[in-house]
Amino acid sequence: MHLLHQRGPLHHLPDTPEAYDAVLAGVAEQALRRITPEGSLEHPDCQDDIGDTSLGMTSLLAFAWQRGKDPRLPEAVRRSLAFHLRERVYTEDNPGYPNLKVRNSGLPYARYVLAAGAHPIGDWPSTAWALLQSVNILDATDGLADDEQRTALVELAHGYWRWLTEATFFNPQEAGNQAIGCVVGGLMLARHLPSEEGELVRARALSVYADEIRAHRVSDRGALLPPEHGGAYDNNYGPISLSFLAKAHIESGEDVFAEDGEALARYIDARLTNGGFDNGGPRYSEQHSGFESVLGLRYFGSRIGSDIGRYRGDSRWGRHAVKPDGGVDGHFAWMLVWQIQDSTQWHRTPSTQAARHQLRAGTVSVAFDSRMTPSVIEADGTYYLPAAVNRQHGFGPVLDGFLLCRPMGEVRVRDVQVDGLTAKLVTKPVVGRDHVLRHIQSMYVTDGTRLWTTVAVERLDGAPYLLAGLPYAADDGERVRRTAEGDVTSAGALRLTHPTAEGAEHFDARSELTQEQAAFALAADPRGYGNPDEGWRHLVSSSALEAEPAPGAPEHLHVFAVRYGPGDAAFTPEFEVGEDGLTVRTEAFTAVIGDAAGDADAEPELSLRA
């Protein structure tokens, strides 16, 4: 089976003017066939996320007319705009909406579900989206809408802005992408208002960003990020936030949006595998957006000089939102417009700078979490997640069911690049159940094709082993398929174990259950509202690669050595302790891992040669 949402890298999508004109032409043909006598452009099967969708289709038609002057489009734009102004503007409070600060304000808003009180919680983002659809139409309606319609649309957009920022609590779902999108709407709206009024809206948008979004950023892997549905980052909505930051910078020229976008882009680059696979987040654990992410990935990938367009998007949404039947939906339509308007070219080569939370070369990558434990290992097109033992998750030595990977003190990192090799040494102080402080040194070395990991720790009593990952997925052309195996070699005995217990809290990689499905099954709230990351933390056990200690290690150390990826040569590393530290010799390199005390600056040392 293939993972549903992780498909091809987004920078593989053609983005020439001719390609975009063909996309717009297809949208126009669908819209002209679909438009109802009343002027609705909503997809017939649309039930939720509906309040802005006809308006989104209208914006695409207006933009297509701007570029191609198809004579059939002006009438469709006027009719569909009239439909929204007449049928989809609500000024009476939606029964049950919980986030109002002012009752009976009379300000307009858009409904997530049209029926009164049916599902009002989504009205805030739907109104933010309706604001963005409105200002996009205002940018494109010269020669299309008459003065009366245009005036009504300006008033409506201003009303949407006031409802979002005055009548309700701002960003009630703690969703960074929605919040930044609202700010972008305010910045764009300001251009269409009288100068004094517009300046007030612009100033308010900037202050909202500073006080309601930027001041509440959360830390993950050394970066400050706009919170997404209560977490630091979501691999569906996080890149959408990046697109909104790009548009905010394009629209306003304010440095703060560039600075925050570059920080988020570097974070994405560090956590993203070479092949573009990613998982994790407080909303959708391994779902990916498509066209909604293109603007931000392309714009900020160019600014930071890295190929973050390798991000595997959902190509079914590669151009615009679609329903299961393939029909175009106007949801998020502004993102297609913005990415066409932006002339930034994809940056297609990796950054050459070392990143603390990433090791990457060739087709090998390791993404590290905030504790500097791998969150994903990629080698030979296979992706390994942290395995679980006794409710503990990660990569590291295990003794009597206790996983030694959680740091008790500062984690030291040393990066080295030499002779075609890229390496990272991570030194952690950890405490076991016996309360003894031990230093674990984990060395990761890659030649761009294979990954060698060597983990050294003071000799442990009993029979320790290295928890070396959960084989989870593998590249399969433009898709990613589930797997339960990988090409892995160990200096000591290696075994792949699977849970013997049954239940959602025991993840067997041989099953067809995805990580996301298992995570939601363990989450406290229903799918779509719960936090799958929190659910996944309840995992008790999983399939796991378990490596025995390597033979020939110095008497006072346990050393574990594992090679991921293809290797024709035998894997029989040799170890020796000298004045400089632990020397590790493999078929591909010789490395010296400095003493845990480090150099004069107390930093760990690593030397390497091919």
Side-chain angles (χ1 to χ4, degrees):
M1 61 174 285
H2 289 103
L3 300 184
L4 184 61
H5 299 278
Q6 304 220 15
R7 300 182 181 233
L10 288 177
H11 63 203
H12 285 182
L13 292 169
D15 60 353
T16 62
E18 295 76 18
Y20 280 134
D21 283 337
V23 170
L24 290 172
V27 171
E29 292 301 328
Q30 274 203 47
L32 292 171
R33 290 195 302 269
R34 179 191 300 171
I35 192 167
T36 67
E38 298 78 19
S40 172
L41 287 170
E42 293 161 358
H43 188 283
D45 295 336
C46 193
Q47 300 295 324
D48 53 23
D49 268 326
I50 191 174
D52 67 295
T53 60
S54 182
L55 201 60
M57 294 294 290
T58 304
S59 76
L60 292 177
L61 295 185
F63 186 62
W65 182 80
Q66 256 193 342
R67 289 171 66 88
K69 295 298 188 287
D70 184 331
R72 301 173 298 169
L73 299 184
E75 175 60 21
V77 169
R78 287 190 282 268
R79 284 175 56 201
S80 58
L81 181 54
F83 166 79
H84 183 85
L85 293 170
R86 184 181 67 248
E87 303 289 344
R88 293 295 180 258
V89 177
Y90 298 88
T91 55
E92 294 183 357
D93 295 351
N94 199 351
Y97 185 71
N99 298 312
L100 291 175
K101 293 198 298 184
V102 179
R103 293 200 180 277
N104 303 314
S105 67
L107 293 170
Y109 65 94
R111 286 187 176 174
Y112 177 75
V113 175
L114 297 181
H119 192 37
I121 195 67
D123 289 355
W124 202 90
S126 289
T127 304
W129 303 161
L131 169 62
L132 289 167
Q133 312 285 25
S134 299
V135 291
N136 257 16
I137 293 172
L138 289 171
D139 281 351
T141 50
D142 288 342
L144 287 177
D146 58 34
D147 290 344
E148 183 179 353
Q149 270 193 328
R150 186 175 178 83
T151 298
L153 187 58
V154 170
E155 292 177 355
L156 176 62
H158 196 189
Y160 284 152
W161 169 255
R162 292 188 59 200
W163 187 86
L164 289 163
T165 58
E166 298 175 20
T168 70
F169 290 96
F170 185 81
N171 189 22
Q173 295 183 17
E174 296 184 340
N177 74 98
Q178 298 171 8
I180 304 170
C182 178
V183 167
V184 171
L187 294 171
M188 295 181 70
L189 170 66
R191 291 190 282 101
H192 296 284
L193 297 173
S195 58
E196 186 174 338
E197 199 170 19
E199 197 51 46
L200 289 173
V201 170
R202 175 187 164 87
R204 173 69 173 144
L206 293 175
S207 69
V208 162
Y209 181 75
D211 299 338
E212 301 291 342
I213 302 172
R214 199 165 199 264
H216 297 281
R217 289 176 300 168
V218 291
S219 177
D220 187 44
R221 308 185 195 196
L224 288 174
L225 308 171
E228 192 54 67
H229 287 280
Y233 176 86
D234 185 283
N235 69 352
N236 184 27
Y237 293 121
I240 297 175
S241 285
L242 192 65
S243 287
F244 282 130
L245 286 168
K247 183 60 176 175
H249 185 243
I250 293 168
E251 185 69 25
S252 71
E254 295 288 336
D255 290 342
V256 66
F257 297 116
E259 293 167 4
D260 292 355
E262 288 174 11
L264 177 54
R266 290 191 181 94
Y267 170 87
I268 291 174
D269 190 25
R271 71 172 287 142
L272 197 60
T273 58
N274 179 76
F277 170 83
D278 187 21
N279 75 300
R283 188 71 185 274
Y284 295 116
S285 191
E286 61 183 22
Q287 292 194 38
H288 274 41
S289 48
F291 76 103
E292 315 101 295
S293 302
V294 166
L295 174 65
L297 293 168
R298 194 172 63 193
Y299 187 81
F300 284 110
S302 178
R303 288 185 67 94
I304 68 169
S306 193
D307 59 336
I308 54 177
R310 68 186 187 276
Y311 175 98
R312 282 187 182 269
D314 192 333
S315 56
R316 295 168 302 176
W317 278 41
R319 300 302 194 179
H320 43 62
V322 295
K323 289 297 184 186
D325 66 357
V328 182
D329 186 339
H331 191 48
F332 268 77
W334 62 84
M335 285 292 193
L336 175 58
V337 174
W338 296 346
Q339 66 173 273
I340 296 174
Q341 290 172 330
D342 180 59
S343 60
T344 303
Q345 299 296 302
W346 284 112
H347 185 98
R348 298 183 179 276
T349 56
S351 171
T352 57
Q353 295 182 343
R356 179 179 174 89
H357 295 90
Q358 178 194 59
L359 174 73
R360 181 184 176 205
T363 59
V364 172
S365 60
V366 184
F368 295 87
D369 62 18
S370 292
R371 305 180 307 186
M372 287 306 298
T373 296
S375 59
V376 186
I377 285 178
E378 171 195 22
D380 196 30
T382 300
Y383 304 99
Y384 304 85
L385 301 181
V389 56
N390 289 348
R391 302 184 186 274
Q392 304 159 94
H393 302 184
F395 291 76
V398 177
L399 179 65
D400 297 332
F402 187 83
L403 173 61
L404 296 164
C405 75
R406 292 171 296 280
M408 179 65 72
E410 189 66 24
V411 179
R412 314 278 186 159
V413 178
R414 177 63 62 93
D415 289 283
V416 174
Q417 288 183 311
V418 63
D419 296 339
L421 300 171
T422 303
K424 187 182 295 284
L425 175 65
V426 177
T427 301
K428 290 183 185 181
V430 300
V431 174
R433 292 198 191 278
D434 56 6
H435 297 266
V436 174
L437 183 70
R438 296 179 174 89
H439 288 87
I440 293 182
Q441 293 188 299
S442 303
M443 180 179 66
Y444 306 85
V445 181
T446 179
D447 61 359
T449 302
R450 297 159 293 179
L451 173 71
W452 291 265
T453 66
T454 305
V455 179
V457 62
E458 294 96 324
R459 182 163 288 272
L460 302 164
D461 295 330
Y465 64 87
L466 182 74
L467 196 64
L470 157 65
Y472 178 68
D475 291 339
D476 186 11
E478 285 287 276
R479 299 295 300 276
V480 178
R481 61 176 170 80
R482 285 280 282 103
T483 190
E485 58 188 12
D487 194 349
V488 181
T489 309
S490 172
L494 181 71
R495 55 186 176 266
L496 175 61
T497 65
H498 302 286
T500 56
E502 297 183 355
E505 65 273 24
H506 304 282
F507 186 80
D508 191 328
R510 297 170 299 182
S511 72
E512 293 194 349
L513 196 68
T514 66
Q515 184 271 348
E516 181 188 26
Q517 291 169 327
F520 268 117
L522 294 168
D525 298 304
R527 182 180 176 85
Y529 301 96
N531 183 336
D533 271 9
E534 288 186 356
W536 188 251
R537 292 187 193 106
H538 294 304
L539 201 67
V540 175
S541 65
S542 73
S543 297
L545 288 163
E546 300 176 355
E548 297 288 341
E555 290 185 359
H556 68 292
L557 293 177
H558 267 126
V559 180
F560 306 89
V562 175
R563 183 180 65 196
Y564 300 83
D568 296 331
F571 184 49
T572 56
E574 299 176 352
F575 312 99
E576 180 183 347
V577 171
E579 291 183 0
D580 295 332
L582 174 65
T583 298
V584 180
R585 296 184 180 89
T586 73
E587 76 281 13
F589 64 86
T590 297
V592 180
I593 301 173
D595 185 85
D599 61 8
D601 297 321
E603 291 298 326
E605 295 181 330
L606 175 63
S607 63
L608 185 68
R609 67 177 186 272

